[in-house]
């Protein structure tokens, strides 16, 4: 699915702003046909934004069920004769969309886009009513999973992941036009041949089978460096400027549908970073050179706006990572807004791209929630319906992000159960599907502490070992000497047993800013600093460790509970992006100029 853009043949109109909004905890809006008229008792709500923290009311923050959004848009008069498309960059966790009185789209999954051709439902020059009902319920069949419980106080959502279940329209909504005959998809795969680069392309067109395809590749200055004809082909670029970590050089590939008389019917521009990614033994290679990941697990999370995308916050976060010397991050634990990946492409930031498969582990959930019991993988819990949802999530993630040079590794799940025969049966088809969709990138999942080296039965399917460990925090609490010995012993066991690159994708300690101690006291800023330093000593002693991504970049919201005081405090920055003491230590480790 191509993103909306303005070209010589296309236009787009952003629908962000204040929409009418109404909660529907009883679920009566669908049977009453709320989409057929103005919402009966609405208030204004910003889009994009999570609705949970906008209104100072627990009934809004903890709402379970349907939430309705509605706006009116005038379709540009100049779009007459064109194809008109309505697109949602995300709706968490599922949505149904109506345009005027007609249902236009349905989508499951809170972090990938969906769209509908509404040409037959609207009139250029006239207004159209857009209504969407967003539902935030999590079940055994959803990603992330969860369950809704009926209590005397009303419906309550229980979920198994350790971040707040924000909901709403978190990203932009678009109305855009294309010609009837249009480019519908582009795939690029790049390679290197000495000083030259190759760009293998596939262009899919719809609406006119007899149109020719012409592609033009231009450098950053706009000069043409290669041209091609046909829906598939390979372009060669001599003296190519490689995309590399810290050097986000992008070429522009213009794909055009051309009529028999030479008229360009439609054109679309796809940015291209020419680079290669591969795994060689215990090395992770970008452009044939060993790469070492430094950075973070992050969250799309901020006060008031929740998980809504915000350009100002995005740029500030990237600037803070650059200040630290970080070169990478993981989109924990869901696909991030496409604007984030675009920025990473342009600035040479390396990305581990992850599905929303978090919480697929009742053993971990029991540690977080305290009263969760049962078998993770079964017909009554996380079975084939969840696996089907997971497969579709992988398909949508790769379809959306396949052309981003910043994305070097797919993560298909975070901390799932992976030490049982049932987990092996669950994950084998997922790895096979991901590899069939994209054989050019390594694939992995993030291993949890309950499935250490020697017990995990899924890690052999992965190209790279991604590991979350909390020695010194959840185990060996306050005893960094014991934690260091345990960490090194396990990492060496992974090296001996798997012989693959290891990225430590989570490690850290909850830290209260301003809490100080002259001895190793958990929750103090000094303890966070000393714990991270201990991990770094171990990493430096093991060649197979090719990355360190601290949990977390910044403090973030979680469900309320006695284990979390105003959220997770493992951030190197506070939720307001103020540095804790260890930020300056990291800057000295990661930034040669610091």
């Amino acid at each position: 699915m191509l993103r909306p853009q303005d070209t010589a043949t296309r236009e787009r109109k952003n629908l962000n702003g204040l929409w009418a909004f109404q909660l529907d905890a009883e679920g009566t809006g669908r049977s009453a046909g709320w989409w057929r008229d103005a919402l009966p008792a609405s208030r204004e709500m910003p889009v994009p934004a999570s609705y949970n923290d906008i209104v100072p009311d627990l009934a809004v923050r903890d709402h379970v069920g349907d939430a309705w959004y509605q706006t009116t848009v005038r379709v540009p008069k100049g779009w007459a004769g064109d194809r008109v498309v309505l697109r949602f960059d995300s709706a968490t966790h599922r949505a149904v969309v109506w345009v005027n009185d007609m249902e236009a789209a349905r989508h499951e999954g809170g972090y990938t886009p969906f769209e509908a051709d509404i040409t037959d439902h609207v009139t250029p020059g006239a207004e159209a009513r857009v209504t969407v009902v967003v539902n935030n319920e999590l079940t055994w069949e959803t990603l992330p999973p969860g369950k809704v419980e009926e209590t005397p106080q009303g419906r309550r959502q229980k979920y198994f992941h350790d971040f707040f279940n924000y909901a709403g329209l978190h990203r932009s909504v678009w109305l855009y036009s294309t010609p009837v005959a249009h480019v519908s998809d582009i795939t690029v795969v790049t390679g290197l041949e000495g000083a030259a680069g190759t760009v293998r392309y596939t262009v899919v067109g719809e609406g006119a089978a007899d149109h020719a395809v012409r592609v033009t590749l231009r450098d950053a200055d706009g000069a043409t460096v290669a041209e091609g004809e046909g829906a598939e082909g390979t372009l060669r670029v001599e003296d190519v400027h490689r995309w590399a970590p810290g050097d986000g050089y992008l070429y522009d590939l213009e794909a055009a549908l051309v009529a028999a008389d030479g008229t360009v019917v439609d054109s679309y521009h796809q940015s291209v970073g020419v680079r290669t990614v591969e795994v060689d033994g215990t090395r992770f290679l970008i452009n044939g050179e060993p790469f070492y990941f430094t950075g973070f697990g992050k969250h799309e999370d901020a006060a008031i706006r929740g998980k809504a995308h915000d350009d100002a916050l995005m740029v500030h976060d990237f600037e803070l990572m650059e200040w630290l010397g970080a070169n990478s991050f993981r989109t924990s634990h869901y696909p991030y807004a496409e604007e984030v990946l675009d920025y990473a492409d342009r600035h040479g930031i390396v990305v581990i791209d992850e599905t929303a498969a978090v919480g697929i582990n009742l053993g971990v959930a029991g540690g977080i929630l305290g009263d969760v019991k049962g078998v993770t993988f079964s017909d009554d819990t996380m079975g084939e319906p969840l696996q089907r949802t997971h497969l579709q999530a992988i398909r949508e993630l790769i379809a959306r992000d396949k052309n981003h040079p910043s994305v070097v590794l797919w993560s298909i799940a975070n901390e799932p159960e992976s030490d049982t025969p049932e987990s092996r049966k669950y994950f084998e088809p997922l790895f096979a599907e991901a590899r069939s969709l994209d054989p050019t990138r390594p694939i992995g999942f993030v291993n949890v502490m309950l499935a250490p080296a020697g017990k995990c039965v899924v890690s052999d399917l992965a190209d790279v070992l991604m590991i979350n460990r909390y020695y010194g925090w959840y185990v060996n609490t306050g005893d960094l000497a014991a934690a260091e010995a345990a960490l090194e012993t396990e990492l060496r066991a992974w090296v001996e047993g798997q012989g693959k690159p290891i990225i430590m994708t989570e490690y850290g300690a909850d830290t209260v800013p301003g809490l100080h101690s002259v001895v190793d006291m958990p929750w103090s800023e000094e303890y966070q600093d000393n714990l991270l330093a201990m991990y770094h000593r171990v990493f430096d002693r093991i060649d197979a460790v090719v990355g360190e991504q601290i949990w977390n970049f910044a403090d973030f919201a979680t469900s309320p509970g006695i284990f979390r005081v105003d959220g997770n405090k493992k951030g190197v920055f506070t939720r307001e992006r103020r540095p804790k003491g260890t930020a300056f230590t990291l800057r000295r480790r990661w930034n040669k100029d610091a």
Side-chain angles (χ1 to χ4, degrees), residues 2-72:
L2 298 177
R3 294 183 65 194
Q5 63 177 225
D6 294 306
T7 73
T9 60
R10 297 169 174 238
E11 292 182 353
R12 60 181 178 171
K13 183 173 184 176
N14 188 278
L15 305 190
N16 294 354
L18 297 179
W19 289 43
F21 174 82
Q22 186 169 343
L23 294 180
D24 183 16
E26 302 302 321
T28 60
R30 300 190 195 219
S31 59
W34 281 4
W35 64 87
R36 296 190 179 97
D37 206 340
L39 297 179
S42 67
R43 55 167 32 112
E44 290 186 310
M45 185 64 63
V47 173
S50 302
Y51 58 75
N52 307 80
D53 291 344
I54 300 293
V55 181
D57 184 348
L58 277 177
V60 177
R61 179 174 170 81
D62 296 335
H63 168 75
V64 179
D66 286 348
W68 292 75
Y69 291 81
Q70 191 176 79
T71 193
T72 300

Side-chain angles (χ1 to χ4, degrees), residues 44-167:
E44 290 186 310
M45 185 64 63
V47 173
S50 302
Y51 58 75
N52 307 80
D53 291 344
I54 300 293
V55 181
D57 184 348
L58 277 177
V60 177
R61 179 174 170 81
D62 296 335
H63 168 75
V64 179
D66 286 348
W68 292 75
Y69 291 81
Q70 191 176 79
T71 193
T72 300
V73 57
R74 186 174 298 279
V75 181
K77 183 178 181 180
W79 291 8
D82 281 347
R83 175 173 168 265
V84 181
V85 182
L86 176 65
R87 173 188 167 110
F88 291 79
D89 282 352
S90 75
T92 307
H93 291 279
R94 68 197 51 80
V96 182
V97 179
W98 292 266
V99 175
N100 296 322
D101 291 345
M102 301 296 296
E103 182 178 322
R106 289 176 177 256
H107 185 257
E108 172 71 35
Y111 303 98
T112 45
F114 61 100
E115 64 183 26
D117 185 331
I118 61 170
T119 310
D120 294 338
H121 304 321
V122 297
T123 301
E127 289 187 335
R129 184 178 63 256
V130 177
T131 309
V132 54
V133 59
V134 178
N135 182 276
N136 68 344
E137 296 173 48
L138 300 176
T139 71
W140 295 119
E141 301 181 13
T142 66
L143 283 183
K147 58 180 180 178
V148 176
E149 298 179 337
E150 301 291 343
T151 76
Q153 293 74 38
R155 305 173 80 224
R156 298 290 185 266
Q157 175 73 68
K158 180 168 286 188
Y159 48 94
F160 313 133
H161 55 274
D162 192 20
F163 55 95
F164 190 79
N165 188 40
Y166 282 114

Side-chain angles (χ1 to χ4, degrees), residues 42-369:
S42 67
R43 55 167 32 112
E44 290 186 310
M45 185 64 63
V47 173
S50 302
Y51 58 75
N52 307 80
D53 291 344
I54 300 293
V55 181
D57 184 348
L58 277 177
V60 177
R61 179 174 170 81
D62 296 335
H63 168 75
V64 179
D66 286 348
W68 292 75
Y69 291 81
Q70 191 176 79
T71 193
T72 300
V73 57
R74 186 174 298 279
V75 181
K77 183 178 181 180
W79 291 8
D82 281 347
R83 175 173 168 265
V84 181
V85 182
L86 176 65
R87 173 188 167 110
F88 291 79
D89 282 352
S90 75
T92 307
H93 291 279
R94 68 197 51 80
V96 182
V97 179
W98 292 266
V99 175
N100 296 322
D101 291 345
M102 301 296 296
E103 182 178 322
R106 289 176 177 256
H107 185 257
E108 172 71 35
Y111 303 98
T112 45
F114 61 100
E115 64 183 26
D117 185 331
I118 61 170
T119 310
D120 294 338
H121 304 321
V122 297
T123 301
E127 289 187 335
R129 184 178 63 256
V130 177
T131 309
V132 54
V133 59
V134 178
N135 182 276
N136 68 344
E137 296 173 48
L138 300 176
T139 71
W140 295 119
E141 301 181 13
T142 66
L143 283 183
K147 58 180 180 178
V148 176
E149 298 179 337
E150 301 291 343
T151 76
Q153 293 74 38
R155 305 173 80 224
R156 298 290 185 266
Q157 175 73 68
K158 180 168 286 188
Y159 48 94
F160 313 133
H161 55 274
D162 192 20
F163 55 95
F164 190 79
N165 188 40
Y166 282 114
L169 296 179
H170 288 150
R171 299 170 189 166
S172 290
V173 183
W174 302 91
L175 197 67
Y176 74 94
S177 69
T178 76
V180 174
H182 60 280
V183 176
S184 60
D185 193 30
I186 299 173
T187 303
V188 295
V189 176
T190 64
L192 297 171
E193 297 177 356
T198 60
V199 179
R200 189 168 78 247
Y201 67 88
T202 301
V203 178
V204 179
E206 294 183 7
D210 57 342
H211 287 357
V213 175
R214 183 175 68 211
V215 298
T216 305
L217 189 69
R218 300 180 179 91
D219 65 18
D221 296 323
T224 298
V225 296
E227 295 179 289
E229 300 283 344
E232 298 182 32
T234 300
L235 306 178
R236 183 178 177 86
V237 184
E238 302 296 339
D239 297 319
V240 69
H241 189 146
R242 303 177 179 188
W243 188 97
D247 184 5
Y249 190 90
L250 297 175
Y251 291 85
D252 175 73
L253 178 77
E254 181 182 7
L257 290 184
V258 183
D261 62 0
T263 302
V264 173
V265 176
D266 186 30
S267 68
Y268 191 89
H269 293 263
Q270 173 64 57
S271 60
V272 176
V274 181
R275 59 102 181 98
T276 61
V277 177
E278 60 183 314
V279 170
D280 177 31
T282 59
R283 301 188 304 165
F284 193 97
L285 307 179
I286 298 180
N287 299 332
E289 299 292 329
F291 177 71
Y292 190 90
F293 296 77
T294 60
F296 300 94
K298 292 180 88 273
H299 265 300
E300 291 184 318
D301 173 273
I304 302 173
R305 61 181 60 84
K307 287 200 172 304
H309 175 72
D310 180 276
D311 282 343
L313 187 64
M314 176 190 73
V315 174
H316 184 53
D317 282 0
F318 274 105
E319 290 288 346
L320 287 175
M321 285 194 288
E322 181 180 357
W323 175 79
L324 286 168
N327 61 23
S328 64
F329 65 93
R330 174 169 59 117
T331 69
S332 43
H333 301 296
Y334 37 82
Y336 287 2
E338 290 169 273
E339 291 88 344
V340 175
L341 297 185
D342 288 343
Y343 193 101
D345 289 344
R346 295 193 302 271
H347 293 265
I349 306 298
V350 172
V351 178
I352 300 172
D353 207 358
E354 190 162 86
T355 71
V358 58
I360 308 180
N361 194 325
L362 293 185
V364 173
I368 296 173
L369 300 176

